[in-house]
């Protein structure tokens, strides 16, 4: 297969970025998942139908029982308002969650946990998100990326040493981000090296944004290590806070939302970490991190979905009971538009989330793009839902005591963390379409016109290429599609209920159009498409909506086959069909933006704004603490009135505030 890094005309910066991405993510799976097939115009109905619900009846019953107990506690006892106002989850609340099994729900029963799968776990996170975003984030950070690293990659001895404590009394943390490292997971500056005695790793560096880091009894640290071949790769090490040289010098900072969560800054100075504490192999730490993030992106989505459901229910009831101009708000069409949109987006978020957990539970080979879409879609649509809910409630929605305001603040962070949505848009485009692009590249090189070659050289090369039967077999249909817009046949989707077949045909058409527009954009922009992030985002967003449409159709099909009816069934079908209409329109807008857009004036306006900013002195503004060329030149943030948190070290047994 051709390699995009070898494409003629690609910039050195783009080549390096591709190399780093491939190094981080590892080799492509042999079998392409759902989203990559959309880019080829195919719908793999074997992966989509029936809707991937594979949890056993026994586990479902146990999860239902836990959810009932948890909701009673969250509704009647959990101090959600106090947590938000005092910026701390009290120790007794942690104790209660441990006792219920919530903080050990995915840890195997042999180590004291509940042994639940990914779908059940996300159902619990959704319930937590419905009542308290801070608690949902802390539980997710503990189980998805803290315990998750040990559960997935720990040796038997490591699991026996740590998991029983993590299921019953210890919080865990995951140390990936740094002052200079956010979404760029491969840019770690923290470093480790093997000690002279060969029994330890010497760890140096600094970590930032480690959720529960100051409360945790154990945390997993990502650090660069120089390999025998001289290359640097990331190694994962498990640390405990009493190790000499660990300084938790900042426990937390006051935040806009999820105020009960604590994000620590931790400094490591010549910390001797026993070799026993290494997770997975040397240089395989990013595999640990990225695998855990696949799970974390789902639980983030579950918490967001819970908050969106809660805000929707509150807003709809408000619209029915709040009267203006002599009638309830729900009588007005603009309010009904919001209510319908909230219902549709909630249904689609649910469909995407639990399809993704189903893929994870059944251990599908190729799910990295699917989990990225889950994160982007649920965070973005959830934010829109909560924004609509606040708008329906008007001024009262903005008031602290009315709950939606807290959900509004808690929700906003989801567009930033676990990979900022702008990064994920590019990822969906790049890795969704990578194999198709590498399939097209040799055809372009064999029979495409090269503007850097002369007439004779072009004719000679193209003639030779067209005499090659294998090249001709691919080049002719590709040429017909790119230059004459002759689309190939659509996928046949036969596994849906008869009443849903029109929707299935729309899905097949939309998937085919995604493939067509990807090819058109690739031909138009050639290697420059790697620089055109707005183009990538449009195609990535279209792929996201195609996938959300597919998951929505699959979930609706399962409900139709199960005979779900009554008011809830009627609501769900109407919401699903409305979402499919919304998705189709959004996809068409994405494709339209490839041809008619404001990109040229946007780039000019951005350049002008940047030029003006360059003329303004840095000391008027907050500057990133590790800015390469401007470090130390900005103004100090105003901290008066902001709650400050002490930075003394914690002892290993501490799980409280």
């Amino acid at each position: 297969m051709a390699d995009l890094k070898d494409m003629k005309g690609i910039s050195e910066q783009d080549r390096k970025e591709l190399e780093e991405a491939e190094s981080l993510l590892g080799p492509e799976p042999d079998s392409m998942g759902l989203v990559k097939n959309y880019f080829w115009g195919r719908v793999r109905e074997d992966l989509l139908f029936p809707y991937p619900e594979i949890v056993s009846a026994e586990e479902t019953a146990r999860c239902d029982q836990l959810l009932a107990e948890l909701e009673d506690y969250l509704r009647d006892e959990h101090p959600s308002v106090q947590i938000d106002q005092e910026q701390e989850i009290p120790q007794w609340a942690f104790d209660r969650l441990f006792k219920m099994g919530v903080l050990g729900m995915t840890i195997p029963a042999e180590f004291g946990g509940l042994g639940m799968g990914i779908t059940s776990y996300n159902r619990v996170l959704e319930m937590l998100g419905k009542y308290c975003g801070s608690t949902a984030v802390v539980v997710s950070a503990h189980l998805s990326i803290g315990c998750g690293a040990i559960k997935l990659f720990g040796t038997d001895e490591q699991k026996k040493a740590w998991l029983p404590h993590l299921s019953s009394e210890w919080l865990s943390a995951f140390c990936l981000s740094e002052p200079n490292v956010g979404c760029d997971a491969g840019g770690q500056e923290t470093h480790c090296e093997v000690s002279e005695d060969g029994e330890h790793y010497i760890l140096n560096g600094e970590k930032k944004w480690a959720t529960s880091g100051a409360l945790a009894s154990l945390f997993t640290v990502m650090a660069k290590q120089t390999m025998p071949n001289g290359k640097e790769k990331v190694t994962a090490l498990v640390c405990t806070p009493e190790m000499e040289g660990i300084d938790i010098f900042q426990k937390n900072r006051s935040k806009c939302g999820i105020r009960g969560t604590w994000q620590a800054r931790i400094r490591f100075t010549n910390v001797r970490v026993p070799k026993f504490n290494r997770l997975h192999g040397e240089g395989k730490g990013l595999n640990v991190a990225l695998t855990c993030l696949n799970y974390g992106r789902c639980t983030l989505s579950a918490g967001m979905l819970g908050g969106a459901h809660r805000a929707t229910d509150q807003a709809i009831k408000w619209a029915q009971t709040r009267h203006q101009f002599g009638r309830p708000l729900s009588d007005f069409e603009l309010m009904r538009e919001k209510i319908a949109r909230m219902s549709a987006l909630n249904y689609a978020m649910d469909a995407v989330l639990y399809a993704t957990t189903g893929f994870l539970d059944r251990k599908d080979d190729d799910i990295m793009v699917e989990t990225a879409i889950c994160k982007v879609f649920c965070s973005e649509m959830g934010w829109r839902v909560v924004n609509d809910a606040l708008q329906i409630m008007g001024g009262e929605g903005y008031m602290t005591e009315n709950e939606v305001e807290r959900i509004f603040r808690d929700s906003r962070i989801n567009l930033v963390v676990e990979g900022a949505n702008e990064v994920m848009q590019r990822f969906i485009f790049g890795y969704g379409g990578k194999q198709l692009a590498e399939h097209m590249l040799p055809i372009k090189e064999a029979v495409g016109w090269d503007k850097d070659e002369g007439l004779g050289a072009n004719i000679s090369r193209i003639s030779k290429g067209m005499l090659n039967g294998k090249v001709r077999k691919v080049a002719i249909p590709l040429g017909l599609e790119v230059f004459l817009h002759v689309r190939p046949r659509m996928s046949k989707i036969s596994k849906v209920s008869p009443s849903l077949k029109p929707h299935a045909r729309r899905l097949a058409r939309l998937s085919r159009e995604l493939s067509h527009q990807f090819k058109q954009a690739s031909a138009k922009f050639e290697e420059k498409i790697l620089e055109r992030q707005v183009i990538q985002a449009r195609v990535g967003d279209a792929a996201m909506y195609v996938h959300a449409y597919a998951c929505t159709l699959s979930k609706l099909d399962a409900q139709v086959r199960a005979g779900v009816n009554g008011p809830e069934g009627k609501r769900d079908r109407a919401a699903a069909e409305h979402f499919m209409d919304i998705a189709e329109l959004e996809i068409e807008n994405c494709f339209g933006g490839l041809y008619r857009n404001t990109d040229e004036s946007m780039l000019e306006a951005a350049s002008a704004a940047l030029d003006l900013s360059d003329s303004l002195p840095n000391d008027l503004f907050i500057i990133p603490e590790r800015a390469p060329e401007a470090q130390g030149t900005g103004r100090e943030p105003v901290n008066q009135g902001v709650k400050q948190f002490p930075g003394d070290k914690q002892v290993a047994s501490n799980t409280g505030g």
Side-chain angles (χ1 to χ4, degrees), residues 159-170:
K159 292 176 183 178
K160 290 175 184 176
W162 297 323
L163 289 181
H165 295 290
L166 292 169
S167 68
S168 61
E169 56 179 331
W170 288 359

Side-chain angles (χ1 to χ4, degrees), residues 29-40:
D30 293 332
S31 176
M32 290 193 297
L34 268 172
V35 176
K36 290 178 183 174
N37 272 280
Y38 300 147
F39 277 86
W40 290 72

Side-chain angles (χ1 to χ4, degrees), residues 415-434:
L415 284 74
V416 176
V417 294
E418 305 284 10
N421 283 3
E422 291 79 5
V423 175
M424 292 292 100
Q425 285 174 305
R426 296 187 64 207
F427 176 83
I428 294 163
F429 167 85
Y431 268 79
K434 182 173 181 286

Side-chain angles (χ1 to χ4, degrees), residues 108-123:
E110 64 188 287
F111 302 114
L114 300 182
M116 290 186 176
I118 305 303
T119 296
S120 298
Y121 171 35
N122 279 271
R123 291 180 66 200

